[in-house]
Amino acid sequence: MDLNSTQNKDIYTYLREALITAVSVELPQDFEIEFESPKDPSHGDISTNLALKLAGVLRKPPITIASEIVNNLPIDDSFIAKAEAVKPGFINFTYSETYSRNALADLLLKGEDYGKCDIGGGKRVLLEFVSANPTGPLNIVSARAAALGDSLKRIMNACGYRAESEFYVNDAGQQVLLLGHSFLVRHAKTMHNIDIGFPEGGYKGAYVMEMAVDWVDKDFDWHNLNDEQKLRAGKMMVDRIVVNQKSTLNLFNVSFDKWIYESEIRTKNNPDKLRDELIDKGLACLKDGAVYFKTSQFGDDEDHVIWTSAGRPTYFLPDIAYHQDKYERGFEWLIDIWGPDHHGYIPRMKAALKALGHPEDSFTVILAQQVNLMRGGEKVKMSKRAGEIIEMNELIEEVGTDAARFFFLQRKASAHLDFDLDLAVKETEENPVFYIQYAHARLCSIERFAEDPGIKMDAGKINLLKETEEFNLIKRLIEFPQIIQLCCRKLEPQPITVYLLQLASTFHSFYQKRRVVTDDRELSSARLALCHAVKQVIANGLNLIGVSAPDRM
RNA sequence: GCGCCUGUAGCUCAGCAGGAUAGAGCAGCGGCCUUCUAAGCCGCAGGUUGAAGGUUCGAGUCCUUCCAGGCGUACCA
C-alpha cells in the first residue's frame, strides 16, 4: 500500500526495513516496530520507541541500543535527513527536504483523492443511524447521530470500504396506531368541534395539530373509532412525517442511500414465520404464554420476549428480522448508531445475531451519547409524547448546518454533550468551524489575487520552498492520510476536526509571515502550489465531515 | 443491586491501541492592519489529569477499590 508518495515505497516501509537491518539481533517473531508523530518539533517528524521496547530483551540500557541502531542505520536521503538517538531511548527521524517536496508534489497530483486509502478492501458496510420513530420531527439527538453516521460513511468510503447508509422507519407497531388515534382526536376537535378522549400516552406535539388542520376525510363515527381507521390515519401521518424528516436531513447535508420500512421487512419475513423458525431451531421457547429468544445462551444475561402473551410481536422480533435482512442483502459489517436509551438493548441484539450464526465482530453498535440542551442555564427536558422537543430544524436554523455538524463531531460520540442553545446562537461568529472555513476562503482569495498579475501555481517550482513556515505546512499536509485512517479505525470522525484546526492554524501563521504573491514570480508560483495543496486538504477534510468549504466569507 | 458512559485550565473539550516538558478554543491581560480577507497573527497568565493503591524503563491512557454526575436495566418502541 503506497499512501503518500510517488516513490516506490513509503517512508514507513523504508524505516522498518532500515531499522531491521540496523538492529544487531534477530527480532522476536511478532515484534512490531511502532512509529508516532512527536508533539514537540525538536523531536523530529517521526519517532520510534524500538530501543525502549528492546531494552528488556537485550538487557542493555535503551539509550545504548538506540545509539547502536542509529550508527548502523542506512540513511536514504530521499526519505530522511537525519536520525537521532535521544534521552530515554527514542530514535527520532527528520524528513529530508526531498521527501517533503515529493510528498507535496504527490498531493497535488492526487487532488481530491489525497487522503484516500484502501484499508477497507472493498468490504460492504451498512451504517444504520437516526432511524427515529416516525411519530414526530427529528430532535437534537438525531442530529448528533446524523452528523456522526453520515461522516463515518464518507470516511469509510474514502478508506476503501463500500459503505452505505440506511434509515429504518418503524411504521408497523402499536405506536402508529396511537399516533393515528392522537391525530383523529385533534382532527375531531379542530374540524368538527367534537370532544373525544385523548388516548393514554398519546402524542400531543404541535405537529399533530398542524397536520390535523389540513387533513380532510370522510365522516367517521367519532365516538367509535376502530383500529383500522386509527392505523390508516397513523400511516398517513407517518408518510408526511417521513417527508419532513427527509427534508430536515437534506438541510443537514445528510442523504441516506436507502429508507427502509418495517412494514416491508414484515412482508418479506413475517414475524409469525420467523417466530416459528426460531422455535424450530431451538433458539426460542414458550414460557408463561410468551415466546422467549434464548439470548442468554449467547452472551446475554437473560432471555428476552419476542412474542407477548397477548399474541403480538415485541419490537425485538422484527428488529431481528431487519438485521437478518441486512446480512441477506450482502452486507458484511453492520454498524448501528443508537441513542443512549437503547444501550441495554445491545447484548440482546448481539446475542440474537450470534445465535443466527453471524460472526460477533460483524455487528457493531456505536452509542451516540445523550445531548443535554441548556437554555437560560437550565437543562431542557425533552419528551416526544409530552410534546416538548427541540427540533433539529430549529437547531439548523439557529446555528447552521456547518457549525452544528462540526460542533457535534468535535466531541467523541461516547461523551455526553451539553449543548447550550443560548451560547450556540451567541457564539455563531466565534465557532471554530469558521476559523477553518476562513482559512479556505483566504486561500481562495489569494488565488483570485494572483489572477491579475497572471501568476499561476507551478508544482515544478516547489524546490524553491525553503522557509520553516513552508515546511511546517507541508509536514501538516503529510499527516492527513494517517488522520483519516485513524478516524476510520476508531469509527470516530473527531480527529479530523482537531487536525483541520491545526492545519488552519499553521496556515494562518504562514500567511502572517510569508507573502504568497510578490514580484518574484517563480517563488510566487511555488507558494501558490503550496497554498493550493493546503486548500485541497482543507476541502477534502471538510468534505469528509460534511461541512462546506466556502470560496469567500 | 447489576451494567454502560463521563470526571483533564475559570468554561467547552483534545490527548492519536502506554511514551519525551499534559494541549487547543473561548473567557482574561499586553502587543500587531499604507501590501494577497484582522472571522487573522504574536506574547503573558492559567493544572495535585475526581481520590487512593497497583502493573513497568515510563500511566491522563491499563488493573483494583472508592467518590461524584448521567443513562440503562419491560410481555414499550
Side-chain angles (χ1 to χ4, degrees), chain A residues 234-429:
Chain A
K235 292 208 181 228
M236 178 278 302
M237 289 198 66
V238 167
D239 287 344
R240 293 185 179 206
I241 288 170
V242 166
V243 167
N244 287 339
Q245 290 180 338
K246 263 185 204 175
S247 80
T248 300
L249 286 161
N250 283 339
L251 276 179
F252 207 53
N253 223 349
V254 176
S255 74
F256 283 89
D257 294 304
K258 191 171 169 73
W259 289 68
I260 191 161
Y261 287 76
E262 183 179 351
S263 53
E264 278 176 56
I265 299 289
R266 290 204 187 196
T267 308
K268 239 159 110 179
N269 191 352
N270 88 48
D272 309 49
K273 220 178 83 198
L274 179 59
R275 176 202 58 198
D276 294 342
E277 274 173 26
L278 292 175
I279 293 172
D280 287 348
K281 284 183 188 161
L283 295 174
C285 63
L286 200 67
K287 195 165 72 187
D288 308 327
V291 181
Y292 285 75
F293 199 125
K294 298 182 188 169
T295 48
S296 65
Q297 293 182 8
F298 299 90
D300 200 2
D301 10 328
E302 54 182 352
D303 293 342
H304 287 278
V305 174
I306 54 174
W307 199 271
T308 71
S309 52
R312 54 186 172 83
T314 65
Y315 180 76
F316 192 26
L317 186 60
D319 217 16
I320 292 168
Y322 171 42
H323 284 79
Q324 177 68 21
D325 184 70
K326 292 179 182 179
Y327 285 110
E328 282 164 10
R329 282 183 279 146
F331 291 102
E332 301 160 88
W333 187 11
L334 313 184
I335 301 175
D336 287 10
I337 299 175
W338 291 354
D341 49 331
H342 284 65
H343 98 244
Y345 200 69
I346 298 173
R348 190 182 313 187
M349 185 56 78
K350 275 188 178 282
L353 296 180
K354 192 174 162 193
L356 290 168
H358 303 293
E360 256 181 296
D361 58 4
S362 69
F363 176 60
T364 303
V365 178
I366 299 171
L367 277 191
Q369 279 296 341
Q370 80 186 92
V371 178
N372 287 323
L373 288 169
M374 313 292 285
R375 210 195 272 281
E378 283 186 14
K379 213 179 266 187
V380 183
K381 279 279 172 197
M382 287 192 296
S383 156
K384 267 189 195 175
R385 298 204 173 162
E388 302 158 8
I389 101 173
I390 304 299
E391 299 183 14
M392 187 169 158
N393 274 323
E394 242 181 289
L395 178 76
I396 296 172
E397 215 172 287
E398 286 183 9
V399 187
T401 291
D402 286 344
R405 282 187 72 129
F406 194 87
F407 197 92
F408 283 127
L409 297 179
Q410 258 191 305
R411 281 133 189 94
K412 299 181 292 188
S414 64
H416 297 219
L417 171 57
D418 282 343
F419 200 121
D420 188 328
L421 289 168
D422 304 320
L423 203 66
V425 180
K426 229 184 292 169
E427 284 200 342
T428 297
E429 297 293 308

Side-chain angles (χ1 to χ4, degrees), chain A residues 211-223:
Chain A
M211 293 184 167
V213 175
D214 74 336
W215 194 58
V216 181
D217 199 277
K218 59 188 150 219
D219 289 338
F220 283 130
D221 177 1
W222 292 105
H223 295 282

Side-chain angles (χ1 to χ4, degrees), chain A residues 447-460:
Chain A
E447 290 188 345
R448 283 193 297 271
F449 183 82
E451 280 169 17
D452 190 37
I455 302 174
K456 290 205 170 73
M457 73 161 203
D458 185 351

Side-chain angles (χ1 to χ4, degrees), chain A residues 3-39:
Chain A
L3 282 177
N4 48 17
S5 80
T6 49
Q7 293 128 347
N8 49 16
K9 57 184 170 183
D10 78 15
I11 194 164
Y12 295 100
T13 311
Y14 152 70
L15 285 176
R16 275 205 179 83
E17 289 172 5
L19 285 168
I20 287 170
T21 58
V23 174
S24 50
V25 292
E26 195 75 8
L27 291 174
Q29 199 59 24
D30 56 347
F31 194 90
E32 206 181 319
I33 298 178
E34 298 164 28
F35 298 103
E36 61 180 50
S37 323
K39 321 168 202 175

